[in-house]
Amino acid sequence: MTRRTRGTSAGLDRARIAAAAVALVDRDGLDRFGVRRLADDLGVDPMSIYHHIKGKAALLDAVSEAVIAEMEAGAEEWPDDWEQVARRTAHDYRRMAYRHPRVFPLLATRPQSSPAALAAVERLVAAMRRAGLPDQVTADAPTTLFGFLNGYLLAVLSGGPGGPADPPAIDAAAYPTMAALAPLQSGFGSPAEFDRLLGTVLSGIRHQAAR
Amino acid sequence: MTRRTRGTSAGLDRARIAAAAVALVDRDGLDRFGVRRLADDLGVDPMSIYHHIKGKAALLDAVSEAVIAEMEAGAEEWPDDWEQVARRTAHDYRRMAYRHPRVFPLLATRPQSSPAALAAVERLVAAMRRAGLPDQVTADAPTTLFGFLNGYLLAVLSGGPGGPADPPAIDAAAYPTMAALAPLQSGFGSPAEFDRLLGTVLSGIRHQAAR
DNA sequence: TTCTCAAACCTACGCCGTAGATTTCACCTA
DNA sequence: TAGGTGAAATCTACGGCGTAGGTTTGAGAA
């Protein structure tokens, strides 16, 4: 792609830049992400990007916002039952994380305040309140749930883009119990494991509500 | 500090370098961390560091390892009850995270395989097995617990070194339930909140075991 | 037609990580 | 004691980075 001459439009805007940035991080990872590489992908001078987005940090904000917004595209019908809302939100979040494993650390590290993120939380707490759960339990639930989701998905995705890294062999002499349990860890990163652990967290919330 | 002439010892070794690196990240943050700045702190040529540690990535590995190792310093007496083991491990982990808030993202992002980390997990699963919990629940517990701890602490510490950022005002029209619950979020990052959420996760594990 | 201004480009600066060559000195062996 | 050896540290250099500041261009308003 050849450069435009000065003054002619390159058709840049925030959305197009963000989409290209997501694609670049997906392809090369966060370490290799940079303004110059992004400009290359866009067929544009690096400094042109600065007319739409203030700097590298704002660029990364745009990336995480774009990726969160993907979650919102889907059915608009949500169940009444808060546990179903939580499960579906969690699964949507997981799918998004697997679609963009190299973007995900960005989400887990920065506080999320985009409309899509806030809408998901509002949906969950509204359903919990409708169900008559205690206010403190309801207020804590998103922090607990997304805390778990972020930490767990970070661990599962840290092995690379394809899926989780298989854990290294365990020294059976030093860590006998871990070694004995190793066969049960075989599904690390699997949907079944995710469902199991999610169920554990949700049952914790359910039982706090019942006390 | 003046440079040594070539060949004279600067007293560098892996431990001294790691300690200086931890101090540098604590002071300036991960973004500002670099080999050249670290060398400045040590009063040493940047390339001298490479004789002891292979590169920047290995340097960051050494940082996270050093910080995890801090946790191990403490009483060697551990209770039998698995929930007490889990609570104490979690609180030790939290204290470490608050001591090094700018290092913490490193721990949550990379898989941990240092002896100190493995020892903590072995302690927990051994206690659970002794208590006769089902093997699958025991095998899942560290993943669930550290998933939550990593994600939650990441969120709480992302506001900066001192403590959590107070959340921005909520648009009451768009997110009425969140706005109504906002007063209950006031303790974000507090020990009381941590205890509450930790209790939720542990009760989830307890109830999975009872099924 | 002339003016204005946003969009894009160009140049340059000071950083960064690190490969490769070089210097120096402590210690071992004869 | 003389000479050899290897580890520790330094020096030099390269390509890449983020971005500040200045310049060019052309589209549309006046």
Side-chain angles (χ1 to χ4, degrees):
Chain A
M1 212 172 189
T2 65
R3 301 285 158 86
R4 252 128 254 86
T5 58
R6 281 167 140 144
T8 67
S9 167
L12 284 185
D13 60 21
R14 199 185 149 88
R16 214 164 86 78
I17 293 173
V22 170
L24 176 54
V25 176
D26 281 345
R27 174 169 21 100
D28 292 349
L30 278 171
D31 288 349
R32 296 254 175 228
F33 176 81
V35 180
R36 293 168 125 104
R37 298 176 112 91
L38 178 59
D40 264 9
D41 281 10
L42 286 164
V44 134
D45 183 275
M47 292 315 288
S48 299
I49 292 174
Y50 279 69
H51 278 268
H52 301 271
I53 297 187
K54 287 196 282 220
K56 194 188 186 181
L59 218 34
L60 293 175
D61 285 344
V63 166
S64 62
E65 196 181 315
V67 154
I68 287 267
E70 279 183 17
M71 263 190 13
E72 215 55 353
E76 290 295 323
E77 300 293 320
W78 285 84
D80 259 358
D81 179 50
W82 73 266
E83 285 206 39
Q84 289 183 40
V85 173
R87 286 205 118 88
R88 190 157 128 192
T89 303
H91 277 99
D92 286 353
Y93 197 62
R94 185 184 115 103
R95 262 194 300 276
M96 180 269 289
Y98 274 73
R99 235 178 355 250
H100 303 287
R102 320 181 97 152
V103 174
F104 190 74
L106 232 47
L107 306 187
T109 303
R110 297 156 175 251
Q112 293 303 319
S113 58
S114 70
L118 295 175
V121 171
E122 173 69 18
R123 240 177 352 241
L124 175 60
V125 291
M128 292 181 76
R129 225 184 185 206
R130 251 184 278 123
L133 298 203
D135 277 352
Q136 186 67 69
V137 172
T138 302
D140 285 343
T143 313
T144 309
L145 179 60
F146 281 99
F148 162 72
L149 289 173
N150 282 333
Y152 168 78
L153 290 172
L154 222 41
V156 155
L157 296 174
S158 71
D166 32 21
I170 299 166
D171 178 352
Y175 313 109
T177 319
M178 289 176 65
L181 295 172
L184 293 175
Q185 310 268 19
S186 67
F188 188 59
S190 67
E193 184 197 51
F194 180 74
D195 237 27
R196 224 162 51 230
L197 304 198
L198 176 60
T200 299
V201 171
L202 294 182
S203 101
I205 295 173
R206 193 187 320 122
H207 283 96
Q208 290 300 308
R211 290 199 335 154
Chain B
M1 212 173 190
T2 66
R3 300 285 158 86
R4 253 127 253 88
T5 58
R6 279 166 140 146
T8 66
S9 167
L12 284 186
D13 60 20
R14 201 185 148 87
R16 215 163 86 77
I17 293 172
V22 169
L24 176 54
V25 176
D26 281 345
R27 175 167 24 98
D28 292 351
L30 278 172
D31 287 349
R32 297 256 175 227
F33 176 80
V35 180
R36 293 169 125 105
R37 298 176 115 90
L38 178 58
D40 264 7
D41 281 10
L42 286 164
V44 134
D45 183 276
M47 294 314 289
S48 299
I49 292 173
Y50 279 75
H51 279 266
H52 301 271
I53 297 187
K54 287 196 283 219
K56 195 187 185 183
L59 218 34
L60 293 174
D61 285 344
V63 166
S64 62
E65 196 182 315
V67 154
I68 287 268
E70 279 183 16
M71 263 190 13
E72 214 55 351
E76 291 295 323
E77 300 293 322
W78 285 85
D80 259 0
D81 178 51
W82 73 266
E83 285 206 38
Q84 289 183 40
V85 173
R87 285 205 121 87
R88 191 158 126 190
T89 303
H91 278 98
D92 286 354
Y93 197 63
R94 184 184 115 104
R95 261 193 301 275
M96 180 270 288
Y98 273 73
R99 235 177 356 250
H100 304 287
R102 321 182 97 151
V103 174
F104 190 74
L106 232 48
L107 306 188
T109 304
R110 298 158 174 249
Q112 294 302 319
S113 58
S114 71
L118 295 176
V121 172
E122 173 69 18
R123 243 181 344 247
L124 176 60
V125 291
M128 292 181 78
R129 224 182 187 205
R130 251 183 277 124
L133 299 203
D135 277 353
Q136 186 67 68
V137 173
T138 303
D140 285 343
T143 312
T144 309
L145 179 60
F146 281 99
F148 162 71
L149 290 174
N150 283 332
Y152 168 78
L153 290 171
L154 222 41
V156 155
L157 296 174
S158 72
D166 32 19
I170 300 167
D171 177 353
Y175 315 108
T177 319
M178 288 176 67
L181 296 172
L184 294 175
Q185 310 267 18
S186 66
F188 188 60
S190 68
E193 184 198 50
F194 180 73
D195 238 28
R196 227 163 50 228
L197 304 198
L198 176 60
T200 300
V201 172
L202 293 182
S203 101
I205 295 174
R206 192 187 320 121
H207 283 94
Q208 290 300 308
R211 291 199 335 152

